[in-house]
Amino acid sequence: MSDQLVAPPPENCPGTQSEMSGKSAACAGCPNQQICSTAPKGPDPDIAEIEERMKTVKNKILVLSGKGGVGKSTFSSQLSFALSMDEKVEVGLLDIDICGPSIPKIMGLEGENIHISGQGWDPVYVQDNLAVMSVGFLLEKEEDAVIWRGPKKNGIIKQFLKDVYWNDLDYLVIDTPPGTSDEHLSIVQYLKTSNLSGAVIVTSPQDVALIDVRKEINFCKKVGVPIIGVVENMSGFVCPKCNKESQIFIPTTGGAEKMSQDMNVPFLGRIPIDPLIARSCDEGKSYLITHPNSEATKQYNLIFNKIKEIVNSK
C-alpha cells in the first residue's frame, strides 16, 4: 500500500499495515489518512509475485549514488557490458531512473520498444546474453518529460520487477537515480524477500559528492541493504601525450577511500577520467571493448572482478 501514499508517513505513524492505520490520534491531519483507513491491510500480494519472478535471477546488484552526475549510469552500463563478455553468463540491466532514463542511449538501444508476450514484458536485447529494461522504451520521443509523482513511479518499478520476463539471469544490475527517495525505498521494499546481493555506491572525489554519498551509505545501513563497496569515479586525469596525472576534482578530505575507511565499508577502487568513456556512451558502445588497453579499462576490470568475487561468495 505504501506506493499509494501521497506523502511520506510521519515519524509517529502507527504503520501503514497496522490495524490502527488511519484511525489513531497520530493520523489526524496526515494527507494519507483516508488512504490508510480504507486500504486493505496485510502484506502486499505483489511481493510474492516479484519473489517468484526473481527466483530465476542469481545476483541482484543495485548501483547507487548520493549525488547526480558522478557517472553512476555509465558505471552500470560498463558493469553490464563487462559481465556479458562471458558468453555463458546471462545479464540483465534494469533502469529505474524514471525521470532521467539514459540507459537506452548508453546501451545503443534508442528507438527500441517493449514487446509483450504470454510470459510478460520482453526486455530489449543488446546481444544474446544482455537484456535491458527502461522507462525510456515507453516514451514516444526521447525528449518527452516523465512528470510522475511517487505512486506512479513506484507502480512502474513494481511492474518492471513482476512483469518483465528476464528468463534465467546470472546478474541483474539495477541502475537507480541519485538520492534516497521513492525509487530507492520501493526497490528495496519490493526485493526484501528476493535476496538482494547488495549495492555498489558510486561517487566522485570532491567533498560535495562525498557528503551525499555518506547519506547513501547510511540509507543502506538503515534499510538493511548490504554494501558491496564504494567506487571513486572521475578520479584524476592522465594526459594521453605526457602521461602526467592531474586531479580535476581535488579530494580535499581524502576522497572516497578515506570516507570508506571512516564508515567501515569496502573501497573497490578508482576510475580515472577519460573523455573516450563519454564518447562511447554517446555512441552506445562498450568502452571496455573499444578501448581494451586503456588505464580506465584496467581499473574497471579490477573493480568488476572484485564485485563478482564478493557477490558470488555469498
Side-chain angles (χ1 to χ4, degrees):
M1 185 187 70
S2 59
D3 58 349
Q4 300 171 3
L5 302 184
V6 296
E11 287 186 13
N12 54 353
C13 174
T16 57
Q17 301 301 325
S18 167
E19 289 299 325
M20 294 303 295
S21 178
K23 302 173 185 177
S24 75
C27 300
C30 176
N32 302 313
Q33 185 174 13
Q34 185 176 1
I35 297 172
C36 291
S37 62
T38 57
K41 305 298 188 292
D44 184 345
D46 289 332
I47 298 296
E49 290 188 42
I50 292 171
E51 183 178 356
E52 186 63 30
R53 182 71 84 176
M54 289 292 112
K55 283 181 179 178
T56 62
V57 180
K58 291 181 182 177
N59 298 295
K60 307 159 193 75
I61 302 171
L62 287 179
V63 179
L64 305 173
S65 69
K67 177 67 70 178
V70 299
K72 171 187 48 56
S73 294
T74 298
F75 184 87
S76 297
S77 66
Q78 299 310 309
L79 173 59
S80 301
F81 277 128
L83 294 170
S84 67
M85 289 174 75
D86 183 344
E87 294 180 358
K88 297 179 182 178
V89 173
E90 298 291 332
V91 182
L93 173 56
L94 174 59
D95 178 10
I96 64 166
D97 190 345
I98 306 302
C99 294
S102 55
I103 288 298
K105 181 174 183 64
I106 294 174
M107 302 301 289
L109 297 173
E110 288 179 287
E112 296 289 343
N113 297 305
I114 296 171
H115 299 284
I116 300 175
S117 68
Q119 295 170 310
W121 289 10
D122 292 331
V124 179
Y125 281 83
V126 179
Q127 57 198 45
D128 288 345
N129 66 331
L130 178 53
V132 178
M133 180 57 70
S134 169
V135 74
F137 298 138
L138 301 174
L139 303 178
E140 290 186 12
K141 299 177 183 176
E142 182 185 4
E143 61 270 22
D144 284 350
V146 179
I147 309 173
W148 291 355
R149 292 187 184 273
K152 197 165 184 181
K153 288 182 183 179
N154 299 341
I156 192 66
I157 292 170
K158 181 184 284 187
Q159 199 159 9
F160 281 161
L161 292 173
K162 74 183 182 70
D163 291 343
V164 174
Y165 180 64
W166 296 102
N167 209 337
D168 294 334
L169 289 183
D170 294 288
Y171 299 94
L172 178 62
V173 179
I174 303 172
D175 185 48
T176 66
T180 55
S181 190
D182 289 319
E183 295 91 334
H184 310 83
L185 291 168
S186 294
I187 195 72
V188 171
Q189 176 192 352
Y190 298 152
L191 292 177
K192 65 183 178 182
T193 61
S194 298
N195 298 318
L196 185 62
S197 302
V200 177
I201 301 175
V202 181
T203 185
S204 50
Q206 72 273 37
D207 266 5
V208 71
L210 295 174
I211 289 169
D212 287 339
V213 167
R214 289 186 179 93
K215 298 173 185 175
E216 197 78 43
I217 291 171
N218 285 327
F219 165 82
C220 290
K221 291 179 178 179
K222 285 182 179 180
V223 299
V225 174
I227 297 174
I228 296 169
V230 174
V231 174
E232 185 175 274
N233 197 27
M234 297 185 279
S235 181
F237 170 72
V238 179
C239 175
K241 298 202 173 183
C242 68
N243 291 322
K244 182 179 178 181
E245 183 175 357
S246 302
Q247 293 296 327
I248 307 298
F249 301 110
I250 299 174
T252 54
T253 59
E257 185 171 14
K258 176 66 165 57
M259 180 206 66
S260 299
Q261 292 171 354
D262 292 344
M263 301 196 73
N264 196 29
V265 296
F267 178 68
L268 298 176
R270 299 178 179 85
I271 300 169
I273 295 171
D274 185 341
L276 296 176
I277 297 176
R279 180 185 294 180
S280 296
C281 290
D282 286 344
E283 295 175 351
K285 297 177 181 177
S286 167
Y287 171 82
L288 309 175
I289 293 176
T290 55
H291 303 90
N293 300 316
S294 69
E295 179 62 23
T297 292
K298 176 183 175 182
Q299 297 304 320
Y300 267 130
N301 285 328
L302 288 172
I303 291 168
F304 296 158
N305 286 335
K306 289 180 183 178
I307 293 172
K308 287 190 287 186
E309 183 178 344
I310 290 169
V311 300
N312 287 318
S313 67
K314 294 184 178 181

